[in-house]
Amino acid sequence: MEVTSLNNIFYEMIFKRKSFHIFRNVGNESISKDELNDIQSAYSEFTPLNPGIKTAIRIVPEKQTNCKRGGEYCVLLYSEKKDGYLQNIGYLGEQLDLYLVSRNIGTLWFGIGKTKEEPFEDMEFVIMFSIRKISDGSKYRKDMFKSKRKSAEEIWEGEQIPGVSDIVRFAPSACNSQPWLVKNNGELSVYRYRKPGKRGIMPADKVSFYNRIDIGIFICFMDICLGHNGVGFEKTLYSDAGDDDKELVLNAKYRLCR
């Protein structure tokens, strides 16, 4: 499938997707073997944030993991541990999330997931999705704008971009922490933001781990929304070692080409 076509599908699915914290009353359909093969094939076609980082997925029955959310399978995401690998997994994983929604397969990013699966080649397990076929379409989100998210004004400083600033804020994040801030000073600077002294229910030593995955998800939303609205850009990525002492850590800059 062409990148432009895939991007359009992703954009449409932003408005449909929801996190299924529990799969309940979603129908009795199963994910077929063909669909499982298609998931593997589709993942191989997604655009990574950093092409120099090797990743892979494995799909296993949910019962082989510690996830007990009523899903049929779990998708395990593996990666080499290199600079930016967490953002890269978030970026790829969110494309997978939106692709699955387009196939009527519900998803849940399961951050505390554990599996008995061994490391895959030279890659380590990072995070997983729980997934299940959704035969009742009414179970998806009906009105994204009713979701609990920060306002555009809270996450975006400077001139806003219609169709971008008001949509990227709906990116999913661990414990709905929404750890991002965009500054528009002629170019867009994307920061990992941590409000001092606040971490929600996440263990203190895991906040920067999950929030760097979240930033990858957010950058995926940013790329999709800019592309959909015909805004060209050149993107530069910056190293984020997960320093918890800083309130703002720069992760990406966008030079817009209009």
Side-chain angles (χ1 to χ4, degrees), residues 146-258:
K146 291 183 178 179
S147 304
K148 188 177 181 181
R149 293 293 194 277
K150 295 176 181 177
S151 67
E153 289 73 22
E154 289 178 279
I155 67 138
W156 193 288
E157 295 183 0
E159 182 182 357
Q160 295 186 18
I161 304 175
V164 179
S165 311
D166 51 336
I167 303 300
V168 293
R169 63 195 181 92
F170 292 101
S173 58
C175 300
N176 201 26
S177 53
Q178 305 169 67
W180 39 67
L181 179 68
V182 179
K183 295 186 179 184
N184 185 357
N185 297 311
E187 62 181 7
L188 307 181
S189 297
V190 178
Y191 295 89
R192 178 170 62 86
Y193 169 66
R194 180 174 181 179
K195 188 173 182 178
K198 187 172 182 178
R199 61 179 173 85
I201 63 173
M202 279 189 286
D205 62 341
K206 290 294 186 180
V207 174
S208 68
F209 178 90
Y210 290 120
N211 283 172
R212 281 179 283 169
I213 295 175
D214 296 337
I215 283 293
I217 295 172
F218 183 79
I219 290 173
C220 180
F221 265 51
M222 180 74 80
D223 289 2
I224 291 169
C225 291
L226 288 170
H228 181 80
N229 286 277
V231 181
F233 60 86
E234 293 180 1
K235 182 173 60 191
T236 303
L237 302 175
Y238 293 84
S239 179
D240 179 356
D243 189 341
D244 284 335
D245 296 329
K246 295 181 179 179
E247 185 173 334
L248 292 174
V249 181
L250 180 65
N251 269 247
K253 282 189 177 183
Y254 289 77
R255 187 173 71 84
L256 304 183
C257 313
R258 302 204 186 198

Side-chain angles (χ1 to χ4, degrees), residues 23 29 33 39-40 49 60 69 87 102 111-112 124 128 147-148 153 161 174 188-189 197 211-212 232 246 253 258:
F23 290 100
E29 292 186 34
K33 288 185 177 180
I39 293 169
Q40 288 278 2
L49 188 60
V60 302
R69 299 304 177 96
Q87 291 89 336
S102 77
I112 57 174
E124 294 186 10
M128 69 172 66
S147 304
K148 188 177 181 181
E153 289 73 22
I161 304 175
L188 307 181
S189 297
N211 283 172
R212 281 179 283 169
K246 295 181 179 179
K253 282 189 177 183
R258 302 204 186 198

